[in-house]
Amino acid sequence: MHVGFIGLGVMGRPMALNLARAGTPLVVWNRTPGRCAPLRDAGAEVAADAAEVFDRARVVILMPADEAAVDAILARGTPDFAARVAGRTVVHMGTVSPEYSTALVDAVGAAGGAYVEAPVSGSRVPAEQGRLVALLAGDDGAVAEVRPLLAPMCRETFDCGPVPGALLMKLAVNLFLITQVTGLTEAFHFAGRHGLDRRRFLDVLDAGPMASAVSRMKAPKLLSRDFTVQAAATDVLKNNRLIAEAARTSGTASPLLDVCHALFEETVAGGHGGEDMVAVLHALEARTGGAPAPRPE
């Protein structure tokens, strides 16, 4: 049977394209039909609706925007829910709250289906390159079935035990990512405000022990004020909220995250939610006041 894929957004579309190009028999659907065209060109079949995907596929991968979209795709809360998931493996690769995922694994299991939590670490460029890192949680048999299907999309997979272990792992990773990129952006802003050559600052950073794949991806964007989306500020704010909720639930202090939360709220409120996460620079500039520091020659 075909593998199903629903949700062809910034991350989902390159992920599905990698599956199709690897020869996976794929049937796809997206709420916005135009996003399906590249998949059709790559050999995937396009379903008329989400129900058709479940009719034709035994394993269905979901990469939707949020929890409401997942519920709509699964027809959760309606008589159609059991018919869609019974006898199928639902693989959810998006980021939702751990509580939601725990409830979903119980609901899918009660309806006779299997559920694998498989959030990914990485942004648009690693998704295009098939170099995402997948975090897997769920029943051992279902996880074993799903793992080889992810190979065209992910360079590595990690088992994280039962649900919601994978999502909690993803939130921990994202806490580091959010604070890391915000710190890089603040340092870049600081250098510019003190009249330093920001290109030289980034060269110094890249030559030392603080350099990373993330800094090497984000530094050129900061230098050229290129806010083309890799990981949108709106999505970062959503992840920040999920991490903060998980921290509050467990009584865990998260002071750095809380500062980032405020900055990304200001970034989105300023109209930059659809830009890359380095657009948090706008919030730093607004707090400082005045025009951005001039670009170096």
Side-chain angles (χ1 to χ4, degrees):
M1 293 183 70
H2 286 76
V3 172
F5 200 110
I6 299 176
L8 304 174
V10 170
M11 294 287 289
R13 183 158 64 172
M15 291 165 65
L17 279 169
N18 283 328
L19 283 175
R21 290 166 180 162
T24 305
L26 205 62
V27 55
V28 304
W29 181 77
N30 192 71
R31 207 167 26 180
T32 306
R35 299 195 68 84
C36 297
L39 273 299
R40 183 184 286 108
D41 294 342
E45 298 181 23
V46 178
D49 53 29
E52 183 185 342
V53 176
F54 284 91
D55 286 342
R56 298 179 58 189
R58 206 180 72 76
V59 176
V60 179
I61 298 171
L62 307 182
M63 194 64 179
D66 51 34
E67 296 170 4
V70 176
D71 286 344
I73 289 165
L74 296 176
R76 196 172 174 202
T78 77
D80 293 331
F81 173 73
R84 290 195 185 182
V85 304
R88 290 165 181 80
T89 300
V90 177
V91 185
H92 185 227
M93 301 191 74
T95 305
V96 294
S97 74
E99 293 80 8
Y100 175 84
S101 195
T102 299
L104 191 56
V105 70
D106 292 341
V108 171
Y115 175 80
V116 174
E117 196 179 69
V120 292
S121 180
S123 57
R124 177 179 56 83
V125 172
E128 292 171 345
Q129 297 171 342
R131 295 185 57 79
L132 296 168
V133 175
L135 311 170
L136 305 179
D139 174 78
D140 289 345
V143 167
E145 176 188 25
V146 166
R147 187 183 294 105
L149 294 177
L150 306 184
M153 300 182 286
C154 304
R155 64 179 173 84
E156 198 160 359
T157 61
F158 290 91
D159 290 356
C160 298
V163 172
L167 273 166
L168 288 169
M169 186 71 75
K170 170 71 183 291
L171 296 183
V173 169
N174 277 4
L175 195 160
F176 179 46
L177 172 66
I178 292 168
T179 54
Q180 181 184 28
V181 173
T182 305
L184 170 64
T185 305
E186 184 173 331
F188 178 83
H189 177 62
F190 175 91
R193 288 292 171 176
H194 284 80
L196 300 179
D197 182 329
R198 287 169 296 171
R199 185 184 299 277
R200 178 61 55 86
F201 160 69
L202 293 173
D203 288 343
V204 171
L205 176 69
D206 195 54
M210 298 302 294
S212 68
V214 171
S215 68
R216 286 169 177 155
M217 181 179 293
K218 298 303 184 185
K221 294 178 74 64
L222 286 167
L223 190 64
S224 62
R225 296 185 71 86
D226 171 19
F227 301 116
T228 306
V229 67
Q230 292 174 335
T234 299
D235 292 332
V236 174
L237 179 57
K238 168 195 159 185
N239 277 268
N240 202 314
R241 286 173 175 154
L242 290 173
I243 301 165
E245 289 168 4
R248 303 294 176 267
T249 299
S250 63
T252 303
S254 56
L256 293 179
L257 181 76
D258 295 342
V259 172
C260 295
H261 197 164
L263 285 167
F264 276 97
E265 281 186 331
E266 293 164 25
T267 303
V268 172
H272 305 290
E275 298 175 3
D276 188 70
M277 65 188 299
V278 294
V280 73
L281 180 63
H282 294 300
L284 293 165
E285 290 172 345
R287 286 194 182 194
T288 299
R295 296 187 189 187
E297 293 298 327

